[in-house]
Amino acid sequence: MIYVCIPSHNESTTLGPLLWKVARVMREFGREFTLVVLDDGSTDETRETLERYARRLPLEVLREATPVGYGAAVDRLLRHVAAASSYPKRDAAVVLQADLTDDPDALVDLVKALEGGADVVAAAAPAGAADVPGPRRWGRRLAPWVLGRGFREAPVPDPLNGLRAYRVIVLRKALREDDAPLARAREPWVASVELLHRVVGFSRRVEAVPLAPRYGLLARPSRFRPTPALKGLFALRGRRWAAPAQAAREDAA
């Protein structure tokens, strides 16, 4: 089972087309899938949109009464999947943005890499990717310096990118080791680094695939805030990465 996890806050204009496109991609790919959307305290027509699509697609909806932010939303989605999975060594969770900046076609490459033996597969934006908005562009230039060795020694070339696939057993092992949130930061870049720190030590193999975000499809003003994002990354500057090979000791669990 492939669980496609989508945190959403006031994304009703893009959420419906995204769900339909993901369903089409997964059906053509020939893999069993479930869409899991967390409505993070939306005040637009997200609820109504999800109710319509739940009648036509394999869709589970989680809700927060008030917004909790990206990190907490992803944490709840992945905890839900970890508890629901019947075959955690085979099943996968993929985290996808609701604003169409992540291409649903990328699911195929991510899942194929998992099926090839990886436990975590991360998208990595190629250098010089087109249509990157100005604030995000200069934020990416500063992020490697702000995060320091945490960026240079990361197990993937782009630890800021939240588009990733996780083998469910890795999530279960991380939660069994420590029931603290898998991620807690409201800023997506920071939460993505937090989450990677939590799971990498339980992963035998971590891979990256080159996938560029599609910022030109953003249908609303960007919510990216470079100053809070860089401050949050600086707070993670001293963290050391666990070695993926450490997961070998968990195989018998």
Side-chain angles (χ1 to χ4, degrees):
M1 176 70 72
I2 311 300
Y3 295 91
V4 182
C5 301
I6 305 172
S8 177
H9 173 70
N10 289 345
E11 303 283 10
S12 61
T13 57
T14 56
L15 189 54
L18 174 66
L19 295 174
W20 202 254
K21 178 66 181 296
V22 169
R24 183 185 66 78
V25 168
M26 295 305 296
R27 285 167 176 161
E28 291 178 356
F29 188 33
R31 302 299 190 274
E32 187 178 6
F33 72 97
T34 296
L35 296 152
V36 189
V37 177
L38 185 133
D39 177 3
D40 189 20
S42 296
T43 56
D44 63 355
E45 296 180 355
T46 292
R47 177 183 288 269
E48 292 78 10
T49 299
L50 291 171
E51 288 174 351
R52 288 197 304 272
Y53 281 87
R55 294 192 289 268
R56 294 180 282 176
L57 297 175
L59 171 62
E60 297 181 37
V61 178
L62 311 178
R63 288 194 170 89
E64 296 287 352
T66 57
V68 297
Y70 182 82
V74 171
D75 175 70
R76 185 174 174 195
L77 283 163
L78 295 182
R79 285 174 181 270
H80 175 81
V81 168
S85 171
S86 299
Y87 303 98
K89 292 186 178 181
R90 186 181 68 191
D91 294 345
V94 183
V95 178
L96 196 69
Q97 298 281 351
D99 59 10
L100 289 178
T101 56
D102 290 336
D103 188 353
D105 286 328
L107 293 169
V108 175
D109 290 336
L110 294 171
V111 172
K112 281 184 176 179
L114 280 183
E115 292 175 346
D119 288 327
V120 176
V121 185
D131 71 16
V132 180
R136 194 176 289 268
R137 187 183 304 114
W138 70 258
R140 276 198 166 272
R141 289 174 181 169
L142 291 174
W145 176 82
V146 170
L147 199 54
R149 67 187 302 170
F151 195 98
R152 296 190 305 272
E153 298 176 2
V156 295
D158 185 4
L160 310 180
N161 199 322
L163 176 56
R164 295 189 195 132
Y166 306 89
R167 197 177 300 276
V168 173
I169 190 63
V170 170
L171 302 174
R172 282 196 179 177
K173 288 176 180 178
L175 290 169
R176 185 173 60 206
E177 179 83 4
D178 180 357
D179 196 46
L182 294 168
R184 62 178 84 229
R186 300 185 73 91
E187 298 296 327
W189 280 5
V190 185
S192 296
V193 176
E194 289 177 331
L195 178 54
L196 192 59
H197 269 289
R198 283 296 306 276
V199 301
V200 68
F202 301 97
S203 309
R204 290 169 298 180
R205 202 164 93 208
V206 179
E207 293 186 4
V209 293
L211 296 166
R214 309 177 303 170
Y215 296 116
L217 296 183
L218 193 60
R220 52 160 175 75
S222 175
R223 296 172 185 160
F224 176 70
R225 303 178 300 162
T227 300
L230 293 171
K231 285 183 177 179
L233 292 177
F234 187 78
L236 301 177
R237 185 180 177 91
R239 287 196 188 180
R240 304 295 296 269
W241 293 98
Q246 290 178 8
R249 70 179 188 271
E250 300 288 332
D251 281 350

